[in-house]
Amino acid sequence: MASPPPPIRGRFVGHHGLDWAPNEPTPATIAVAPPPTNIPAPTAYEELRQELATAIAAKIQALKLERNSASNKSAQADINAEIKILSAARAVAHDPSSRPAGLQLVGTIAATSVFGYIQLVKTELTSNAGSCTGIWTNKKQLKESAPRSSANTKAQKEVLDWYDGRCPLTGVEEVDAAHIIDVQATKAMTRPVNFWEMLRRMWPLEEIQQLGIAGQENRNILPLQPTAHRLWDRNSLGLRPIPHKTDPQSKMYLQVVWFNDWNAEIGLGEKRTRETQADLSDGRRVVESVDGRIGNEFLCHGDVYELSTSDYEKRRLPEIRFLEIRYAVQKLFAGQQAAGALRDIFDGQPPDDDTTTPIPDEDAFMPADWDNMIDDAGRLGILDFEGREVWKKHTLQIAYEQHQRQIELARSESEGEEDD
């Protein structure tokens, strides 16, 4: 007798572009709202986004000239950090689905003021991008002081049973309980709704009044095959969440996004060559090659999977807003990890190798985004082995010193409050 299907299961439903949305007919009794009048026509808005992208690219080029003429390598490293954040902002400007805050107003102001206004939009966009990536990557430093809750530990075990211990994308039975939003990252968000608002100023996300994982731990877990989990954490693999139009409680879609391909689509990289050691295949999708050999279909950029639950009250699907946060932040990191961005950052002289302060737990202080970028730069031949080691030591030292300054500042503020 065949075993019953798991309470939550994933199934492949098709391959689509990243602008795909479920094509559900509009009921005749519901009037279709007219398009908003305060947003320029798509062609005009596209031109504005291109102007914004050009302004960011010009700033990056200016910083590279400033870096190359600077004699102080510490100043050069600071400039590289600024280029990194600008690279994230540039990815937003290039993304056809983005809506940088204020950009739609450019069409309503005098032509003589457009350049200055574009610069203001660029500054705000860069600030939001830097804040979001900074919060996300500072999470490691909180792990010692903020252990995971018992509710989170329970959810990691329970949710795997909901999926019958299978990865919904690959069908593999060996899975990790992957967090959608890292629990430590939420502890770095002093006001999570503000974090959501910053993302909304870059992409058209729904407005929310509150956002928190406490009490929703089960909805913050997605079982993933270990390789998929690793690629997700490294921002190589993205999962674009798409709500189901008619039954959002019981069904939702996840679209596979390979960020190398995404960068190529938006003009920030070249189409990747297949790297089979990093690719994933769906064991449930059997294909026959031209030479007659049987294999499994690889997960391709644009593949769409449907998640469905047989009991949405007791075994709920992942929270779609958690997935939206994850996907939005990953697009920022993808801009920083694009080949062109890595060349902008690492083609200059490496910082001085003068790191002498012992660091108690290197893994706890190394920013994940810099770690990934340095490794990617090595893989692409932008950095050699020695250059990678110098950059890692320097980045680790800077992060540790910043953490120590934060501790000192908090101690000083606490002592000041006691004196009052």
Side-chain angles (χ1 to χ4, degrees):
M1 179 181 293
S3 59
I8 298 180
R9 62 175 181 168
R11 68 183 185 93
F12 174 75
V13 295
H15 182 87
H16 302 277
L18 296 191
D19 58 350
W20 177 81
N23 186 21
E24 300 289 349
T26 302
T29 55
I30 299 178
V32 178
T37 57
N38 62 336
I39 296 178
T43 53
Y45 196 87
E46 189 68 28
E47 291 174 1
L48 293 175
R49 282 200 304 103
Q50 185 58 49
E51 286 189 49
L52 178 60
T54 300
I56 295 172
K59 177 62 175 178
I60 290 174
Q61 290 304 313
L63 285 171
K64 288 171 65 178
L65 292 174
E66 182 182 340
R67 177 191 64 193
N68 295 340
S69 62
S71 58
N72 185 325
K73 289 196 173 183
S74 176
Q76 291 177 348
D78 290 340
I79 291 172
N80 280 332
E82 188 174 354
I83 292 174
K84 175 178 76 74
I85 295 172
L86 281 163
S87 298
R90 180 172 57 183
V92 179
H94 277 275
D95 182 4
S97 67
S98 70
R99 283 292 182 270
L103 192 59
Q104 67 269 19
L105 298 178
V106 174
T108 68
I109 63 177
T112 54
S113 304
V114 168
F115 177 80
Y117 196 81
I118 287 284
Q119 299 303 312
L120 291 175
V121 174
K122 178 201 71 181
T123 299
E124 182 184 5
L125 172 59
T126 304
S127 174
N128 287 332
S131 296
C132 289
T133 56
I135 288 172
W136 202 267
T137 53
N138 286 339
K139 64 192 181 190
K140 285 188 175 183
Q141 299 170 17
L142 299 168
K143 287 188 176 180
E144 290 299 320
S145 58
R148 290 174 176 170
S149 67
S150 57
N152 175 64
T153 302
K154 178 183 177 183
Q156 286 185 284
K157 296 178 180 179
E158 188 173 53
V159 173
L160 295 188
D161 290 337
W162 294 0
Y163 291 75
D164 198 25
R166 289 181 180 273
C167 172
L169 304 179
T170 66
V172 172
E173 291 182 297
E174 179 187 357
V175 293
D176 296 337
H179 287 94
I180 299 170
I181 300 180
D182 192 290
V183 176
Q184 308 305 329
T186 62
K187 296 181 186 298
M189 301 176 198
T190 55
R191 299 181 65 185
V193 175
N194 285 11
F195 186 84
W196 178 268
E197 179 62 29
M198 283 190 288
L199 293 178
R200 288 185 64 239
R201 296 183 75 77
M202 293 181 268
W203 287 282
L205 304 174
E206 277 189 42
E207 184 173 3
I208 62 171
Q209 301 301 319
Q210 60 182 8
L211 178 70
I213 291 177
Q216 298 193 81
E217 288 85 358
N218 286 339
R219 306 196 71 189
N220 191 40
I221 300 293
L222 183 66
L224 288 177
Q225 186 253 28
T227 299
H229 187 190
R230 177 178 61 83
L231 293 171
W232 204 34
D233 282 347
R234 283 188 56 84
N235 305 308
S236 297
L237 169 68
L239 296 174
R240 174 191 170 221
I242 305 168
H244 195 279
K245 293 295 185 181
T246 59
D247 191 5
Q249 290 182 309
S250 298
K251 298 177 181 178
M252 67 178 297
Y253 301 102
L254 293 178
Q255 187 168 34
V256 173
V257 178
W258 289 110
F259 281 116
N260 281 338
D261 293 342
W262 182 77
N263 283 328
E265 286 183 1
I266 65 175
L268 294 181
E270 298 177 357
K271 197 72 172 178
R272 71 174 185 145
T273 57
R274 183 170 295 285
E275 299 168 346
T276 54
Q277 72 274 14
D279 283 337
L280 300 170
S281 60
D282 184 348
R284 299 158 299 185
R285 295 163 59 195
V286 178
V287 294
E288 183 176 349
S289 63
V290 292
D291 59 4
R293 287 187 289 184
I294 302 298
N296 295 321
E297 187 71 62
F298 284 112
L299 267 64
C300 294
H301 182 66
D303 283 353
V304 176
Y305 282 78
E306 180 190 75
L307 297 188
S308 59
T309 177
S310 59
D311 187 343
Y312 66 81
E313 292 183 347
K314 294 182 179 179
R315 297 175 178 86
R316 304 182 72 185
L317 296 174
E319 169 56 59
I320 197 164
R321 288 180 175 133
F322 295 165
L323 287 161
E324 287 176 343
I325 284 180
R326 177 74 179 242
Y327 182 55
V329 173
Q330 281 190 300
K331 289 198 283 188
L332 295 175
F333 288 128
Q336 296 177 175
Q337 293 172 214
L342 297 177
R343 291 190 181 94
D344 288 337
I345 295 167
F346 296 116
D347 269 354
Q349 292 294 318
D352 289 322
D353 185 8
D354 56 0
T355 54
T356 56
T357 304
I359 298 175
D361 184 357
E362 295 188 356
D363 287 342
F365 295 98
M366 184 66 179
D369 58 342
W370 278 103
D371 200 17
N372 292 342
M373 289 162 56
I374 293 168
D375 284 344
D376 287 344
R379 179 176 53 82
L380 293 170
I382 298 170
L383 289 177
D384 58 18
F385 177 79
E386 182 179 355
R388 290 203 308 271
E389 293 305 302
V390 169
W391 270 104
K392 285 195 174 186
K393 289 174 66 176
H394 174 79
T395 303
L396 179 61
Q397 185 74 25
I398 294 296
Y400 183 66
E401 290 174 357
Q402 289 176 343
H403 180 64
Q404 294 301 109
R405 286 196 292 271
Q406 290 171 357
I407 292 176
E408 289 298 323
L409 179 62
R411 182 181 296 119
S412 297
E413 291 177 347
S414 176
E415 291 173 353
E417 291 175 358
E418 290 177 0
D419 291 341
D420 293 341

